[in-house]
Amino acid sequence: MRFLILGSGYGSNAEALLKAWKDGSLGRATPVGILSDKADARILQLGPRFGIPADYVESGSKRTVFDPEAEARWIAAIRATGAEWVVLAGFMRVLKSGFLNAFPRRIINLHPSLLPSFKGLHAIRQAHEYGVRVTGCTVHLVTEDLDGGPILDQAVVRVEPGLPLEDLETAVHAAEHRLLPTVVRAIAEGAYGDIV
Ligand code: GAR
C-alpha cells in the first residue's frame, strides 16, 4: 500500500510514521513522499532524512482552503506520486468536495481529540479547558463533514486533575505517534474493510 503524507508544520507524526517504516513495523505500507502547503515547514526536512521526495505545492492566497487553481495543482501533484492513500498529519487546510472526490475514501486524518468531541482547531486546549478526565486522538476518513468522517481508530489519554496543558499536549502527541503508524499498517493489512 503506497501512501503519501500531507502536513503543514512540524511533522512529528510524519516522523513517527517514517521511523516505523524504517524499522520495519509498517508492514506492507510504503511512503511515497511528503507534500506541504508551507514552503518552510519542518516536515519537508524529513524527506531527505528518510530518503523520500518532499515538496512544497503552491497553495493560492486563501489560508485555510484551496482556490480552484490550487486544488487542481494539488490533485495533480498527489496523482503524480502514485499514492493509493493520503495521510493528513497536521495538514491545516479544509478539503472540499472537488479534492475529496479525486481520492474517494482514500484520505485519512489524524485529530488530537476523541472525536466527535472537540472538533476544529486547538482541540487539546479545548479538552483541557472543558475539564474532561479522558481525551486522546482519532484517525478517521476525511469527508465533507469537518472532523466528522468515519472513525478508523482512537487512543485514550487520561487527564489527571491539575495536569498542565503542556503536559496534556505531550501525552496526546505521544499517543498520536503510536496510533497513526498502527492505523496505516492496519489499512495495508486490509483491516477496516467494513469502513473503507
Ligand atoms: C497533531 O497534533 C495533529 O493531530 C494536529 O496537528 C498536529 C500536528 O503535529 N492536527 C489537527 O489539529 C488537524 N485538525 P505534527 O506536525 O508534529 O505532526
Side-chain angles (χ1 to χ4, degrees), residues 9-14 89-92 109-112 120 124 147 173 176:
Y10 190 74
S12 70
N13 285 286
F91 192 62
M92 305 313 262
N109 179 49
L110 173 67
H111 185 79
I124 304 174
D147 294 332
H173 291 318
E176 291 187 305

Side-chain angles (χ1 to χ4, degrees), residues 5-16 42-43 46 88-93 109-113 118-124 136-138 140 146-147 169 172-173 176-177 180:
I5 303 170
L6 269 51
S8 304
Y10 190 74
S12 70
N13 285 286
E15 190 172 348
R42 183 231 181 222
I43 193 171
L46 298 172
L88 308 186
F91 192 62
M92 305 313 262
R93 299 256 174 181
N109 179 49
L110 173 67
H111 185 79
S113 75
F118 309 119
K119 297 178 177 181
L121 291 175
H122 311 300
I124 304 174
C137 50
T138 302
H140 64 95
L146 187 64
D147 294 332
E169 287 171 343
V172 172
H173 291 318
E176 291 187 305
H177 298 162
L180 187 58

Side-chain angles (χ1 to χ4, degrees), residues 75-123:
I75 291 170
I78 293 170
R79 289 205 170 118
T81 68
E84 298 162 285
W85 283 82
V86 177
V87 177
L88 308 186
F91 192 62
M92 305 313 262
R93 299 256 174 181
V94 178
L95 303 179
K96 301 293 187 189
S97 59
F99 195 115
L100 299 174
N101 291 339
F103 311 101
R105 293 182 92 75
R106 285 296 175 271
I107 306 176
I108 61 170
N109 179 49
L110 173 67
H111 185 79
S113 75
L114 291 177
L115 291 171
S117 292
F118 309 119
K119 297 178 177 181
L121 291 175
H122 311 300

Side-chain angles (χ1 to χ4, degrees), residues 6-193:
L6 269 51
S8 304
Y10 190 74
S12 70
N13 285 286
E15 190 172 348
L17 265 178
L18 294 169
K19 279 184 179 158
W21 171 56
K22 282 291 182 197
D23 75 19
S25 49
L26 273 195
R28 295 163 61 88
T30 308
V32 294
I34 302 168
L35 296 179
S36 181
D37 58 335
K38 298 271 185 290
D40 58 353
R42 183 231 181 222
I43 193 171
L44 289 175
Q45 298 172 14
L46 298 172
R49 223 176 100 194
F50 286 91
I52 60 170
D55 293 297
Y56 162 66
V57 181
E58 214 283 303
S59 299
S61 57
K62 300 199 169 99
R63 208 168 52 85
T64 56
V65 293
F66 292 126
D67 57 39
E69 294 76 26
E71 184 178 272
R73 201 178 300 120
W74 269 89
I75 291 170
I78 293 170
R79 289 205 170 118
T81 68
E84 298 162 285
W85 283 82
V86 177
V87 177
L88 308 186
F91 192 62
M92 305 313 262
R93 299 256 174 181
V94 178
L95 303 179
K96 301 293 187 189
S97 59
F99 195 115
L100 299 174
N101 291 339
F103 311 101
R105 293 182 92 75
R106 285 296 175 271
I107 306 176
I108 61 170
N109 179 49
L110 173 67
H111 185 79
S113 75
L114 291 177
L115 291 171
S117 292
F118 309 119
K119 297 178 177 181
L121 291 175
H122 311 300
I124 304 174
R125 192 194 309 158
Q126 290 184 54
H128 189 264
E129 283 175 0
Y130 197 93
V132 294
R133 287 288 163 254
V134 287
T135 185
C137 50
T138 302
V139 178
H140 64 95
L141 280 187
V142 179
T143 64
E144 284 194 72
D145 181 8
L146 187 64
D147 294 332
I151 290 171
L152 299 184
D153 208 348
Q154 297 182 300
V156 171
V157 172
R158 172 113 194 122
V159 192
E160 297 303 336
L163 186 73
L165 173 60
E166 297 68 34
D167 292 3
L168 182 58
E169 287 171 343
T170 301
V172 172
H173 291 318
E176 291 187 305
H177 298 162
R178 291 188 295 270
L179 181 68
L180 187 58
T182 303
V183 173
V184 168
R185 180 191 176 112
I187 289 172
E189 287 169 347
Y192 315 121

